[in-house]
Amino acid sequence: MGLKMSNVALKEIKEIIFSGRSIAVSAHTSPDGDAIGAACALAMAVNGRGGYAKVFLEKYADVFNVIPVNGIVENEMGEFKPEIYIAVDCGDMERLGGFKEAFAGSKIRINIDHHKSNTYFGDLNYVDTEASSTCEIIYKIVGDMLSSLNNADYIAGCIYSGIVFDTGGFRHTSTSSITLAAASELIKYKFDFSKIYNTIFNTRKFEEAKALGRAILNMEKLAGGEIVYSSMSQEEIKSCGTESDGLSEIINYLKGISGCKAAVFVYEKSTGVFKVSMRSEDDVDVSAVAQSFGGGGHAKAAGCTVEGSKKEILDKIIVEISKQLT
Ligand code: AMP
Ligand code: MN
Ligand code: MN
C-alpha cells in the first residue's frame, strides 16, 4: 500500500477544497510538468465550480508552456491571503521555495503529493507513493465532476500533461492500470496530447543539445558499468550557451546506458552549489541517498542540492550508491 496512516480520506480533502473558501495552490520550486499540471488542474476545477482559487508558481522552463493552463499561473502573491493553501507535488515545506512563508502562515494547509520522501507537513495530508504522479491523485479528486465543468478541456489537458511527464510517457514502473484508465478518460477531452508529448520529451534548445553532448563526453563508469555518472561545471555549462535549468533531461541519457543500474549527474547551479540528479532501477533506492544529503524524491528518481567541490560531492554520492550494489 502506498498510503500512510496519517493521511486523511480523499473525501475529506475534496469537501474542504470545494467548500467555497478562497484557495492558493503552489508546487515545488523549479516546477515540472506534474507540478504545473496538478496545481492548475486543481485550481481550475475549483473555479469551474464557482469557487475562488489562484495558482502561484515560480517561473518554469519554456517547454512547459505547452501545458494548457489557460493563463491561470501567477508568479507573485501580492496581497492575496487565502483561507486554504494547498501544496501539490511537493515533498516538504522547504521545496515551496518563495511560497513557503505564505503557506506556513495560512489557516488551513493541505499537502497533496506522491513523493516517498514526503514529510507530512500539512494540517491535512494526502500522500500516495503508489500514484504515478500528483496529477493522478488530482484526477481522483476531480475526475467525476469533469464532464459538468465548462473548462474541462483545460483541466483534462493539465492532468494528462502531468501524468505523461512523471511517467516519462507511460514508460516508468510507476505506470499502473489506474494511470492508464485515467489517461483513457482524459483523452476524450479536447487538448493536443501529441503536441504535449513531443514538446516535453522531444524538443530542446540548440544550446541544451550542446550541453547534453558535453555531459555525454564527460561520462564515466564504475562498478563494471553499473554506475554511470557525469558532471558539468558552471564554466562548461556557460560555454554551451545555456543555464543550469536547461539540463534536466541529461540524467535520463546516462540512465539509458546499457548495464547501468544507477546514474548520477552533478551540475553546478551557482558557484560551489551543485544539483545532484539520480536515476536507478531494481533495488537501488536513490531517494534514500538523496535524503541523506538533505534532498528527496522517489526510489528510482531523486535529487538533492549540495554545497562543496564537484569531486568531493560525486565521491560521497557514489560511496552511498555503491553500498546498495551488492
Ligand atoms: P530531478 O533529478 O531534479 O528530476 O528530480 C527527481 C526527483 O527528485 C523529483 O521527484 C524531485 O521532486 C526530487 N528532488 C530533486 N531535487 C530535490 C531536492 N533538492 N529536494 C527534494 N527533492 C528533490
Ligand atoms: Mn515534480
Ligand atoms: Mn510528481
Side-chain angles (χ1 to χ4, degrees):
M1 251 326 249
L3 301 176
K4 277 197 196 171
M5 291 310 289
S6 40
N7 275 344
V8 297
L10 212 48
K11 193 169 148 271
E12 197 179 321
I13 299 240
K14 197 167 168 171
E15 270 166 19
I16 196 152
I17 289 176
F18 294 102
S19 64
R21 294 174 171 92
S22 62
I23 296 178
V25 192
S26 289
H28 63 75
T29 181
S30 298
D32 59 20
D34 189 33
I36 300 162
C40 296
L42 190 57
M44 285 194 276
V46 170
N47 295 337
R49 297 240 303 193
Y52 188 72
K54 284 166 157 276
V55 175
F56 301 101
L57 295 174
E58 285 182 4
K59 290 209 167 61
Y60 50 74
D62 291 346
V63 286
F64 298 125
N65 290 333
V66 74
I67 302 174
V69 303
N70 197 22
I72 197 174
V73 178
E74 297 176 59
N75 303 125
E76 309 272 345
M77 284 193 80
E79 294 302 302
F80 184 50
K81 295 261 183 304
E83 288 167 271
I84 301 175
Y85 210 130
I86 308 174
V88 294
D89 200 39
C90 189
D92 57 79
M93 219 190 276
E94 212 55 50
R95 293 266 292 157
L96 283 168
F99 302 108
K100 183 188 147 190
E101 271 78 42
F103 179 89
S106 289
K107 258 185 272 168
I108 304 173
R109 298 165 294 192
I110 302 179
N111 160 32
I112 302 174
D113 188 34
H114 70 128
H115 288 94
K116 194 177 171 189
S117 56
N118 194 287
T119 57
Y120 286 75
F121 58 93
D123 301 311
L124 298 174
N125 300 284
Y126 189 83
V127 181
D128 181 0
T129 59
E130 300 277 294
S132 68
S133 51
T134 303
C135 277
E136 189 174 308
I137 304 172
I138 302 301
Y139 182 73
K140 280 193 182 166
I141 300 174
V142 308
D144 63 350
M145 60 180 75
L146 267 189
S147 62
S148 67
L149 302 178
N150 60 16
N151 57 354
D153 292 337
Y154 293 110
I155 299 171
C158 281
I159 298 176
Y160 188 91
S161 299
I163 292 176
V164 162
F165 179 79
D166 261 20
T167 59
F170 307 110
R171 285 178 303 147
H172 300 156
T173 52
S174 55
T175 308
S176 69
S177 67
I178 298 170
T179 318
L180 294 172
S184 163
E185 286 305 310
L186 291 165
I187 209 164
K188 292 175 182 166
Y189 291 88
K190 202 166 150 262
F191 59 88
D192 197 339
F193 62 87
S194 174
K195 191 172 171 195
I196 288 169
Y197 182 101
N198 281 309
T199 306
I200 291 179
F201 293 117
N202 262 341
T203 60
R204 60 202 57 79
K205 291 182 184 150
F206 180 86
E207 294 78 12
E208 290 168 359
K210 283 207 152 207
L212 169 64
R214 173 60 71 95
I216 289 175
L217 282 173
N218 289 353
M219 227 163 42
E220 304 279 352
K221 61 181 178 178
L222 272 172
E226 290 190 346
I227 299 176
V228 174
Y229 64 95
S230 180
S231 62
M232 274 177 94
S233 67
Q234 238 186 349
E235 240 169 35
E236 286 174 301
I237 297 167
K238 284 203 181 120
S239 76
C240 298
T242 187
E243 308 264 335
S244 60
D245 57 4
L247 310 181
S248 54
E249 72 171 328
I250 291 172
I251 185 64
N252 299 317
Y253 280 81
L254 305 185
K255 180 60 198 55
I257 303 296
S258 47
C260 172
K261 288 194 171 165
V264 185
F265 183 50
V266 174
Y267 55 104
E268 196 172 14
K269 292 199 84 156
S270 56
T271 311
V273 179
F274 291 86
K275 168 74 206 263
V276 180
S277 266
M278 292 176 277
R279 299 290 183 271
S280 63
E281 62 182 48
D282 298 340
D283 296 332
V284 183
D285 180 353
V286 283
S287 171
V289 176
Q291 277 179 267
S292 68
F293 290 89
H298 311 281
K300 293 173 181 171
C304 50
T305 302
V306 190
E307 284 181 39
S309 84
K310 197 172 69 174
K311 181 164 183 332
E312 190 184 280
I313 294 166
L314 259 174
D315 287 350
K316 282 189 196 158
I317 294 273
I318 286 167
V319 165
E320 286 309 309
I321 290 181
S322 304
K323 287 181 190 164
Q324 293 193 41
L325 292 169
T326 42

